[in-house]
Every structure is written in C-alpha cells, then in structure tokens.
C-alpha cells in the first residue's frame, strides 16, 4: 500500500474492543486479539476471534484472571494513563492460535473453533518469575517450535516448546525476562532466536538450544521493544534512560562475538519505549521517543551509525509496520499515516483519523486491509483502492 483510496480508507467494520494493547493476528478469514472482559462475573483476559470480513465474533476463550497491580502506564498528554488489559498478541500458525497470558500461561487453541488443544503454565512448570506489569511478549512460532521467555531459574529461563503438544524441546539460561518478544533471524547462515533479557541480548541456536553469543545491555524498569536485525547488525533499545545500541555479530569457526557499533544512552535522540522499529536498506524507521504522548516523533535512523537522518513530531507512542517501500504508522491518537521509506527526507503519502481511544498497539496489513486497535475499538480498513 502506498496511498489511500479516494475519500480515504473505508471502514469495513468497527466493533468495541475494550482494554488492552494487543494487536490483531489475521489468517484464513479470521482476526484474533486479546481483550479484558467479564466472564462468569470475573474480569478476565480473553482471546477473541472475529470474522476478518465483518468483525462478527466467532468465538472467545478466557486465558486468565485480569490482575496487573498497576495502571499499565503513566499520566501524560491527552490523558494517557495506561489502563489495564492484555499486552500480548496471539500468534496464528496453520490451524492453531497460540496465546500467552499476562501470567505466562501458554495455550494452543483450534483457530476455527476455539477448542483448547493444550496448555502450559510456564511459571509453575519452569520455576518462572514474572515481571512488573506482567508479561507483554507474544509467543514466536518457527517451524515446529514455539519460543518464549519465562524468567525461569535453574537453566530454564528461555524455552523452545513443541508446537504440536507443548512439550519442551530445549531450555536454557537463568536470565530474568523482559516485556520484549524475541526475534528469529539468520546470521552467518545460522538460524537463531534472539532474546533481550535483563542481562542484555542473548542468541540461541533454534534447533539445539545452544547459546551462540551474548551482548550486555542495561535494564531499568522495562524493556519492551524487540531486537531488530539487519544483515549481521542487531539493534536494541529501551526506555527509562537506557537508550539504544547496535552491535556487529561476527563468527570465526565456531566462535561468535559481538562488537558495539554505537551506543546512544538516555531517552534522546535514539531510544524506543515499546515501539519496535522496522528496518529497510540499513535504515530504521519508527517511533523514537519515551513518554512523549501525542508529540513523540517518527524518525529515520542509520542502523550502522545511530545517525538520525530525519524526524517528524506528532506521532507519540504509536507503532509502525513496513509494506514494500511504505511505512504504515499508527500514531497514539488514532491517526493512520503512510510515509515513504526514504532515508533522505520525511515524505508523507497519506493520513486519516481511523480510531478513537489510545492506540499503543501495532497495525496489521492483510489482503489490502489494515486491521488496527485502540483501547476502545477495533477496525478493519479497506486500503486496496478496488
């Protein structure tokens, strides 16, 4: 998508979806997300399946009691207190959808019916320890494996589970978890899953569970943005004064090493709070700000040097995705903005107000439609121009 149809994106459906910062996962005519809803008189986290074409609810299943012990955010411009609700997003693969609750219960459901296939309580089964504000990461599926961090001690903090039945394929390390979803990538021909824990980056071979390399990176309060890989460079960032950094990963024989390319401490000029940037042709694009609700800028940053190529204020704590040569940015006030993935200058292609409520989740593009959420509603927008 590089522009909006004449008259702007057309809302095919718009339905109430209260509470939470879960995004949509869309596949086979269904859209999945997580919300907070009362079930049998108790506020619970719920995985919700709706028809991708109409927004009609197909099924829902509770996955845990809603309890966070914190408002999930801080007061800021436009009344941006966080609000309670799930932060994780379901992961769809084939006929199944995998849901990780705030209390680190991982459940596999039949995508078509919502029937439970299997369930694993990671805290109980692996001596795990949750993080303040509870889990926000999503399960990552790669082939027949699911990768999650459970904050477990005694060599079981980082886990690979069998997709079919939840059985443990490998477990390793003693790292305390963060809010960040791990990233699967191939570096120097080796497929690996890169976690960012409270110790820093740790990369594990997907098949064997062998730790390949580590890179120290500070932790303060919350790290929520995922690692970003470009070639053999790995970028990571956090708020609360931590900032960002990029690291060159090398391999000599069987020995791996990480070398710092640059480091930008503090919350400016290069830092991501929870918004993971995208990368194209060696340049990062995303919401680089910390608690600048409503005002934080969209920036383009050279991943190899940390140089800010350009920035445009007014996006706040939103999120971006990449479609070809276009950045699809959802600002925290519900503005959907198309921007050229051009490192030379900020070029806005289209803009429309599409949602009410606070938008801290990530938009999704599927079959010429954008699915997006706020803390109040979900919407499906036709941007195909057909």
């Amino acid at each position: 998508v590089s522009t909006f149809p004449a008259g702007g994106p057309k809302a095919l459906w718009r339905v109430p979806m209260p509470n939470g910062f879960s995004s949509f996962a869309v596949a086979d005519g269904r859209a999945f997300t997580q919300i907070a809803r009362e079930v049998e008189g108790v506020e619970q986290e719920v995985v919700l399946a709706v028809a991708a074409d109409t927004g009609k609810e197909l099924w829902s299943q509770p996955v845990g009691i809603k309890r966070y012990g914190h408002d999930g955010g801080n007061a800021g411009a436009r009344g941006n207190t966080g609000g309670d609700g799930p932060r994780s997003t379901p992961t769809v693969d084939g006929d199944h959808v995998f849901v990780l609750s705030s209390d680190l219960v991982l459940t596999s459901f039949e995508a078509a019916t919502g029937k439970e296939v299997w369930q694993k309580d990671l805290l109980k089964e692996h001596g795990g320890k949750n993080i303040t504000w509870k889990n926000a990461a999503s399960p990552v599926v790669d082939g027949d494996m699911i990768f999650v961090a459970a904050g477990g001690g005694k060599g079981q903090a980082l886990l690979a589970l069998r997709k079919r039945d939840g059985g443990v394929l490998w477990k390793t390390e003693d790292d305390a978890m963060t809010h960040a979803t791990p990233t699967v990538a191939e570096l120097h021909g080796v497929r690996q899953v890169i976690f960012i824990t409270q110790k820093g980056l740790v990369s594990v071979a997907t098949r064997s569970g062998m730790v390949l390399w580590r890179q120290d990176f500070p932790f303060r309060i919350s790290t929520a943005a995922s690692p970003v890989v470009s070639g053999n460079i790995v970028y990571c960032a956090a708020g609360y004064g931590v900032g960002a950094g990029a690291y060159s990963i090398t391999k000599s024989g069987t020995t791996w090493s990480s070398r710092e390319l640059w480091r930008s401490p503090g919350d400016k000029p290069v830092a991501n709070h929870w918004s993971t940037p995208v990368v194209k042709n060696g340049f990062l694009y995303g919401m680089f700000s910390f608690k600048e609700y409503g005002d934080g800028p969209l920036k383009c940053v050279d991943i190899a040097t940390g140089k800010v190529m350009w920035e445009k204020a007014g996006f706040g704590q939103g999120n971006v995705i990449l479609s070809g040569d276009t950045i699809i940015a959802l600002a925290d006030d519900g503005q959907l903005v198309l921007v050229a993935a051009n490192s030379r200058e900020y070029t806005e292609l289209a803009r429309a107000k599409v949602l009410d409520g606070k938008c801290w989740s990530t938009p999704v593009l599927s079959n010429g439609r954008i699915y997006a959420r706020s803390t109040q509603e979900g919407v499906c927008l036709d941007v195909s121009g057909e």
Side-chain angles (χ1 to χ4, degrees), residues 86-111:
R87 292 105 163 101
S88 178
T89 297
T91 301
V92 186
D93 184 77
D95 296 329
H96 297 89
V97 57
F98 303 95
V99 180
L100 188 59
S101 77
S102 292
D103 284 321
L104 288 167
V105 175
L106 179 64
T107 311
S108 170
F109 296 99
E110 289 183 356

Side-chain angles (χ1 to χ4, degrees), residues 27-376:
D28 295 328
R30 307 178 191 96
F32 304 90
T33 191
Q34 287 162 250
I35 63 172
R37 173 189 282 178
E38 189 173 292
V39 180
E40 297 180 351
V42 179
E43 261 315 278
Q44 299 208 46
E45 290 187 354
V46 170
V47 56
L48 180 68
V50 302
D53 289 341
T54 66
K56 178 183 177 182
E57 184 169 330
L58 301 173
W59 57 263
S60 65
Q61 289 282 15
V63 294
I65 304 297
K66 175 191 159 189
R67 52 187 175 208
Y68 305 100
H70 192 277
D71 72 357
N74 296 273
R78 302 177 186 167
N80 275 291
T81 52
D84 278 350
R87 292 105 163 101
S88 178
T89 297
T91 301
V92 186
D93 184 77
D95 296 329
H96 297 89
V97 57
F98 303 95
V99 180
L100 188 59
S101 77
S102 292
D103 284 321
L104 288 167
V105 175
L106 179 64
T107 311
S108 170
F109 296 99
E110 289 183 356
T113 66
K115 179 183 177 182
E116 182 181 310
V117 179
W118 55 260
Q119 185 175 84
K120 300 290 179 179
D121 187 326
L122 303 183
L123 294 181
K124 288 183 179 179
E125 296 179 31
H126 297 284
K129 183 178 180 182
N130 215 332
I131 189 171
T132 305
W133 306 330
K134 303 296 185 78
N135 172 66
S138 299
V140 174
V141 173
D142 186 53
D144 60 353
M145 296 176 287
I146 304 174
F147 302 118
V148 289
K154 300 179 180 178
Q156 50 186 343
L158 313 177
L159 301 169
L161 305 179
R162 191 164 43 237
K163 188 173 64 179
R164 174 170 44 85
D165 58 10
V168 176
L169 294 172
W170 53 254
K171 53 187 178 180
T172 190
E173 302 302 283
D174 301 318
D175 295 37
M177 66 182 290
T178 66
H179 293 108
T181 299
T183 298
V184 174
E186 197 164 291
L187 283 81
H188 301 290
V190 178
R191 195 157 185 84
Q192 49 202 276
V193 55
I194 305 170
F195 297 85
I196 182 161
T197 71
Q198 293 185 28
K199 294 180 182 179
L201 294 168
V202 53
S203 183
V204 184
T206 57
R207 283 293 166 190
S208 67
M210 177 185 296
V211 173
L212 301 176
W213 55 269
R214 279 186 171 272
Q215 171 62 53
D216 291 343
F217 194 76
F219 173 83
R220 296 190 197 116
I221 301 176
S222 173
T223 297
S226 295
V228 178
V229 178
S230 177
N232 295 317
I233 297 175
V234 180
Y235 167 87
C236 61
Y240 301 95
V242 172
Y247 304 91
S248 174
I249 310 303
T250 56
K251 180 176 181 284
S252 178
T254 58
T255 302
W256 294 77
S257 58
S258 172
R259 176 176 63 88
E260 183 178 289
L261 295 175
W262 57 270
R263 180 81 169 84
S264 177
D267 296 324
K268 293 181 179 179
V270 181
N272 306 98
H273 192 175
W274 58 70
S275 177
T276 302
V278 296
V279 64
K280 184 175 178 65
N281 298 330
F283 294 94
L284 296 162
Y285 299 87
M287 314 307 197
F288 290 85
S289 64
F290 177 69
K291 293 187 181 179
E292 295 180 54
Y293 305 108
D295 301 318
L298 179 72
K299 294 185 182 183
C300 173
V301 176
D302 186 334
I303 195 172
T305 66
K307 180 182 178 182
V308 177
M309 307 303 293
W310 53 254
E311 61 182 276
K312 179 69 172 179
F315 287 83
Q317 302 292 119
N319 282 282
V320 303
I321 58 173
L322 180 67
S323 171
D325 295 324
T326 304
I327 306 299
I328 302 174
L330 181 64
D332 63 5
D333 66 350
Q335 297 279 337
L336 187 69
V337 187
L338 304 184
V339 179
N342 175 359
S343 63
R344 294 183 299 277
E345 61 183 1
Y346 174 84
T347 304
E348 189 169 306
L349 305 174
R351 176 185 291 258
K353 169 77 170 175
V354 299
L355 282 165
D356 290 327
K358 182 167 54 268
C359 302
W360 286 359
S361 56
T362 304
V364 173
L365 177 66
S366 177
N367 295 322
R369 299 171 178 178
I370 292 175
Y371 297 79
R373 266 200 67 186
S374 72
T375 49
Q376 297 179 14

